[in-house]
Amino acid sequence: MTFTLPDFDLDAFVRATLAEDLGQGGDITSAATIPAEALFEGEMASRDAISVAGLPIAEAFFRALDPAVEIETLVADGVRVAKGGVLMRLRGKARALLTAERSALNTIQHLSGVATLASAYVDAIAGTGAILLDTRKTIPGLRVLEKYAVRMGGGTNHRMRLDDAAMIKDNHVAVAGNIAEAVRRAVAAGIERIIVEVDRVDQIEPALAAGATHLLLDNMDPPTLRGAVTLVGGRVPTEASGGVRLDTIKAIAQTGVTYVSVGRLTQSAPAADIGLDFRPLP
């Protein structure tokens, strides 16, 4: 198995997650009830229709505790599976598989939940020309994985870190005095990508004149968004943001904005219902 992500250390993640679960005494239940030589085989399946993300990471948990485990992965990350779809079959040491089970399931359930929600939003704006973006509203320490899951659901990553681009928001403007001055300071600092949040149409021209390269149109209703997009006239990309829901995103995307960003993708995605059933081998 090969799984790599920029800025993500899979081995370190697996070690830290298992250490958190094992504590000082390890899996005392399995050690007490399962013979050391016992073997299990199991099947991981989805109990709902989902978009899959995190299978290679789940596999890494089992291999960390049983290097000889036999694993058959039946789908790839990014694939949509129907309710009841089998994701993985495995066979190995019973104690090890039971000990790794929760860490593996927690990870794939969370990441597949993110991917599944992202795919629902992508479906909702199909045909509009708008692109779905995620945000930095991620669980601390899991950003790389959660943004990977967004990609597996068909979404597009926005800023990964604070140093990817300037993002001038209302608090920056309040300190600088006005939008134009805040943008001028970012330009003077040599920043190439300058995203500016505007919540009123009259802020658009000052932001563009000062050097904004991307406008975040915050909490505007569809008629206001449509007018803002017309005013911008394609000079820079436009992004609609703020409280976007699954039932509102299509109308927002139809206004002509370049992007729609949704914090809910990583902030509020429910875990996918994925189960793992083991049976002992003779």
Side-chain angles (χ1 to χ4, degrees):
M1 181 197 67
T2 301
F3 179 78
T4 58
L5 285 174
D7 302 318
F8 177 69
D9 187 330
L10 176 59
D11 291 339
F13 176 75
V14 169
R15 285 195 303 270
T17 304
L18 288 174
E20 177 183 64
D21 210 24
L22 288 166
Q24 297 299 313
D27 182 359
I28 58 175
T29 308
S30 293
T33 61
I34 305 293
E37 68 279 4
L39 297 177
F40 267 180
E41 63 180 8
E43 190 171 87
M44 181 185 291
S46 175
R47 293 165 180 159
D48 289 313
I50 65 168
S51 293
V52 180
L55 266 176
I57 306 171
E59 180 177 337
F61 283 112
F62 295 117
R63 293 198 183 282
L65 297 184
D66 181 4
V69 63
E70 300 173 17
I71 296 179
E72 180 186 11
T73 302
L74 301 175
V75 299
D77 277 6
V79 170
R80 299 188 185 194
V81 300
K83 179 179 180 179
V86 179
L87 311 180
M88 175 190 293
R89 294 191 179 100
L90 57 166
R91 175 186 175 119
K93 296 177 181 177
R95 285 186 182 178
L97 298 185
L98 282 172
T99 300
E101 176 186 16
R102 179 45 51 199
S103 295
L105 282 177
N106 283 351
T107 302
I108 192 169
Q109 287 172 340
H110 176 56
L111 297 184
S112 293
V114 171
T116 300
L117 187 59
S119 65
Y121 274 88
V122 168
D123 289 348
I125 62 174
T128 65
I131 296 170
L132 178 71
L133 297 180
D134 58 16
T135 71
R136 286 173 38 251
K137 294 177 180 177
T138 54
I139 295 174
L142 295 183
R143 179 169 296 168
V144 172
L145 289 181
E146 290 178 338
K147 282 182 171 278
Y148 166 76
V150 168
R151 296 197 303 274
M152 293 303 98
T156 298
N157 295 154
H158 202 359
R159 291 195 308 163
M160 184 68 74
R161 299 175 300 271
L162 286 166
D163 62 357
D164 283 341
M167 173 79 85
I168 296 174
K169 306 191 82 172
D170 53 359
N171 287 329
H172 303 103
V173 172
V175 174
N178 57 64
I179 276 185
E181 179 59 23
V183 176
R184 281 193 289 269
R185 292 181 185 183
V187 171
I191 300 173
E192 294 183 3
R193 295 180 61 217
I194 303 174
I195 304 166
V196 181
E197 177 188 84
V198 299
D199 53 22
R200 303 192 316 271
V201 172
D202 64 1
Q203 297 172 315
I204 290 175
E205 287 299 344
L208 291 177
T213 64
H214 179 128
L215 291 181
L216 191 159
L217 309 172
D218 189 46
N219 284 304
M220 294 183 181
D221 59 25
T224 306
L225 281 171
R226 194 170 290 109
V229 169
T230 299
L231 179 60
V232 173
R235 285 176 285 176
V236 298
T238 53
E239 172 189 346
S241 179
V244 180
R245 303 189 311 271
L246 196 53
D247 62 335
T248 63
I249 190 171
K250 184 173 183 178
I252 291 169
Q254 288 174 329
T255 64
V257 291
T258 316
Y259 305 107
V260 184
S261 57
V262 180
R264 296 172 189 266
L265 300 180
T266 50
Q267 189 182 52
S268 307
D273 192 355
I274 298 170
L276 177 55
D277 293 319
F278 287 120
R279 53 189 172 271
L281 291 171

